């Protein structure tokens, strides 16, 4: 059983690493850049930390812009959005929220472990309390009783944030097909987050892909109006998404 679990972990990490490497012109540079960002760059630059991480670190913008256009103008317009609209017709709001709650509940190990690694003991305590309450009173996480009945909010921590707290502050922005917006730091952290997902050790790889697709479509269906309002009210959607993501990640690291 232990050997099977170890093999499963190895497959998860290998698949994730391969996915991050498929970035064409930047494939050979990514690993070296990640190492430089994590350690050496700070020694060669005498600027204050706040000045080092100011602005949007997007040296791969030409590549990222093309990938963003592909994701938005083709994958979202012709695949994800129509699927979400059809899904929205078939699945009620209550069911979509229930699915969202279950996936959120499953993310407990990632949030708890990273709260501990960042020394955020209050967040770790909240996560433990939320897990116990929602597991017992919330039907194994189907209802977020901890939030709506006890006012206990989740900590929302991940390994990418942990790397940021530990000193890997500036990292290259990266857009890839079929995956959410990220940076090299957050993409590396995402591999560890996958390894901390307990479901990945009990379902086949194909089932894990299906779960990812289900979660993606469900979240898209829950936010159809929000996405449309942002698209209609934004002139430069690429810059707006990038700026929001980087500012939001920096804010979470500083908290």
């Amino acid at each position: 059983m232990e050997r099977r679990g170890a093999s499963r972990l190895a497959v998860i990490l290998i698949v994730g690493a391969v996915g991050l490497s498929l970035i064409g012109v930047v494939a050979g540079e990514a690993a070296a850049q990640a190492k430089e960002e994590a350690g050496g760059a700070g020694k060669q630059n005498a600027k204050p930390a706040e000045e080092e991480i100011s602005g949007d670190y997007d040296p791969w913008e030409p590549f990222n812009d093309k990938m963003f256009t592909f994701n938005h103008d083709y994958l979202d317009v012709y695949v994800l959005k129509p699927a979400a609209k059809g899904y929205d017709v078939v699945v009620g709001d209550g069911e979509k929220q229930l699915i969202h709650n279950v996936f959120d509940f499953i993310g407990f190990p990632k949030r708890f472990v990273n709260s501990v690694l960042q020394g955020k003991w209050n967040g770790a305590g909240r996560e433990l309390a939320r897990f116990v309450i929602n597991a017992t009173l919330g039907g194994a996480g189907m209802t977020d009783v901890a939030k709506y009945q006890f006012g206990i909010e989740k900590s929302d921590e991940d390994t990418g944030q942990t790397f940021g707290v530990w000193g890997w502050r500036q990292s290259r922005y990266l857009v890839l097909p079929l995956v959410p917006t990220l940076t090299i730091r957050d993409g590396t952290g995402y591999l560890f987050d996958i390894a901390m997902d307990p479901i990945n050790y009990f379902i086949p790889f194909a089932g894990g892909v299906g779960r990812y697709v289900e979660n993606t479509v469900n979240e898209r269906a829950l936010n159809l109006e929000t996405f449309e309002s942002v698209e209609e009210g934004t002139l430069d959607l690429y810059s707006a998404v990038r700026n929001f993501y980087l500012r939001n990640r920096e804010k979470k690291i500083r908290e």
Side-chain angles (χ1 to χ4, degrees):
M1 192 70 180
E2 293 180 358
R3 181 179 300 176
R4 182 180 178 183
S7 300
R8 178 66 175 166
L9 175 59
V11 170
I12 292 170
L13 293 177
I14 291 171
V15 170
V18 170
L20 282 178
S21 68
L22 296 177
I23 57 177
V25 296
V26 299
E29 190 179 350
Q33 176 62 27
K35 183 178 180 181
E36 176 185 346
E37 291 168 358
K43 298 178 181 179
Q44 300 174 6
N45 196 334
K47 295 181 181 179
E50 290 77 14
E51 189 175 344
E52 281 186 10
I53 61 176
S54 63
D56 297 322
Y57 192 30
D58 189 11
W60 294 331
E61 182 173 356
F63 171 84
N64 290 335
D65 196 11
K66 291 177 181 178
M67 289 298 99
F68 181 84
T69 299
F70 173 74
N71 285 338
H72 179 265
D73 293 359
Y74 295 97
L75 287 182
D76 187 70
V77 171
Y78 295 111
V79 180
L80 185 54
K81 188 175 181 179
K85 286 186 173 181
Y87 182 89
D88 192 48
V89 173
V90 176
V91 182
D93 291 341
E95 288 78 8
K96 288 197 289 288
Q97 187 61 49
L98 183 148
I99 293 170
H100 169 83
N101 290 341
V102 170
F103 283 123
D104 207 47
F105 179 74
I106 294 171
F108 158 75
K110 173 192 71 175
R111 296 191 299 269
F112 176 76
V113 169
N114 281 292
S115 292
V116 171
L117 292 176
Q118 295 174 38
K120 296 180 179 179
W121 310 114
N122 183 45
R126 290 201 315 272
E127 281 301 318
L128 192 59
R130 281 176 53 81
F131 178 79
V132 173
I133 292 171
N134 288 338
T136 55
L137 303 180
M142 290 187 290
T143 303
D144 195 347
V145 176
K147 176 179 178 180
Y148 294 108
Q149 299 298 322
F150 295 89
I152 305 175
E153 297 283 350
K154 66 179 180 180
S155 62
D156 196 23
E157 307 294 340
D158 57 56
T159 309
Q161 292 178 46
T162 297
F163 288 153
V165 171
W166 288 357
W168 189 354
R169 300 298 291 274
Q170 186 184 63
S171 185
R172 296 191 176 204
Y173 183 69
L174 178 61
V175 181
L176 297 174
L178 302 174
V179 297
T181 294
L182 45 74
T183 62
I184 295 295
R185 178 198 63 218
D186 295 339
T188 304
Y190 183 63
L191 300 180
F192 290 89
D193 293 338
I194 292 175
M196 284 187 280
D197 188 336
I199 299 300
N200 287 327
Y201 297 92
F202 298 100
I203 63 176
F205 177 74
V209 173
R211 183 168 70 94
Y212 174 80
V213 172
E214 162 66 20
N215 186 37
T216 300
V217 174
N218 189 71
E219 291 299 315
R220 186 68 173 89
L222 279 171
N223 295 281
L224 279 169
E225 294 183 358
T226 301
F227 274 63
E228 289 180 359
S229 63
V230 170
E231 291 171 344
E232 292 172 358
T234 305
L235 294 176
D236 185 356
L237 191 59
Y238 171 80
S239 296
V241 171
R242 178 192 61 194
N243 296 350
F244 174 80
Y245 176 80
L246 294 177
R247 297 290 83 72
N248 186 53
R249 294 297 290 177
E250 182 59 30
K251 177 182 176 182
K252 288 183 177 181
I253 291 170
R254 291 177 181 274
E255 289 178 347

